Amino acid sequence: MTVVAPFAASISTECFIASRVLVGIGEGLAPAAGINIVANWVPEAERSRAIATLGSGKNSGSILGLLIAPVVITSVGWPAMFYSFGILGLVWAAVWAVFGKDYVADDGLSAAASESSAAGGREEATTEEEAPIPWKQILSSAPLWGVIVAHFCHDWGMYALLTWTPTYLNQSLGFDLQGSSEITVIPSVLAIATALLAGTVADRLRDEGWELTAVRKTMQSLAFAVPALCLGLVGALGSLPEAESPSRIVPIVLLTLGIAGGSFSLAGLYSSHADLSTKYSGIVNGVSTTFGALAGVCSNAYAGQVLARGDSWAQAIFMPSVVCYFVGWAAYVALYDATPRDW
């Protein structure tokens, strides 16, 4: 769909939008697939680092895209960006089709090793294919709903920040973002560092004897507290009289720290899907991610409507995000339990 986007744009705006919708549908398969692979391949003692690595790969791709896209567009035109990125995706799909493995048993290991692996071997895969999915048990699980609420509330703030921060920097702080790619790259770089730190610390705490539930709640509490504090301060600064307002660098620093702090969630809620069930980790992630994506739709629509009325950035983005972070934290701490579910 990325490759055909320029052709779709030449037909109509609606066709281009449709192509991007299909891109989103395709991308929506990736999180569940990634979590399923981690749950089946990676021991629990290393799981936080593995999931943090997945999240870091996503941010690394965003950084490279932000740096490469302007060069490609300036050199050979905007359609080339879609062609090049889309072709890279097709090449990687071919590589993945050849070398990707769902279960350890697929890699030619012994039957004994397969049976003792995290995946439970091909036997588990066969069982999963034959048995109906226990939707009632899954959807009635309190820990899952703790994850769902946390995912919705976390993504409300993160999607709003990612979408509206450039506009805020331009309209409210007066930054000219053309040629200032470092302003948008720095938060992603710090998010990668934070994710790797969170994954390492979480696995270290587990090695030192912490209960897995306590590790997850600690990491997710940080993932909510740091952005909530930073965004709350940004919103408060915006309400100050102009004579008392600090340097415009201060909001940028706070936004950067807020975005980076959200990466603690990779060792929190995003690792929770694999904790609850190895067998149904992909389904658990799919349900949770659906609510997260819905939060992105709602937060962007809400912010757009508030800003269209001429209200403040605090009312549009910062304060609602702080409220969501508090609600998500309360739900996750109250409901989540990392004990594997017998579904």
Side-chain angles (χ1 to χ4, degrees), residues 118-199:
R122 178 53 62 188
E123 181 179 352
E124 183 180 281
T126 302
T127 303
E128 183 176 351
E129 292 170 358
E130 293 174 351
I133 298 172
W135 284 109
K136 183 177 180 180
Q137 289 178 284
I138 292 174
L139 295 178
S140 61
S141 172
L144 173 61
W145 281 100
V147 174
I148 288 173
V149 175
H151 203 153
F152 181 94
C153 293
H154 176 270
D155 281 15
W156 179 288
M158 286 298 109
Y159 274 113
L161 279 178
L162 292 174
T163 303
W164 291 99
T165 293
T167 307
Y168 170 75
L169 294 176
N170 178 255
Q171 295 184 359
S172 183
L173 302 182
F175 275 96
D176 182 4
L177 298 181
Q178 291 186 357
S180 302
S181 59
E182 66 275 4
I183 295 179
T184 52
V185 166
I186 289 175
S188 295
V189 173
L190 288 181
I192 292 173
T194 304
L196 297 178
L197 173 65

Side-chain angles (χ1 to χ4, degrees), residues 241-269:
E242 186 174 348
E244 300 178 12
S245 296
S247 167
R248 63 180 185 169
I249 297 299
V250 174
I252 292 178
V253 172
L254 290 172
L255 288 172
T256 300
L257 292 176
I259 292 172
S263 291
F264 278 103
S265 62
L266 290 166
L269 77 89

Side-chain angles (χ1 to χ4, degrees), residues 33 38 63 72 84 88 93 109 162 175 209 219 294 304 322 326-327:
V38 169
I63 293 171
V72 173
S84 56
L88 283 173
L109 301 182
L162 292 174
F175 275 96
M219 294 295 106
L294 180 62
V322 171
F326 178 78
V327 172

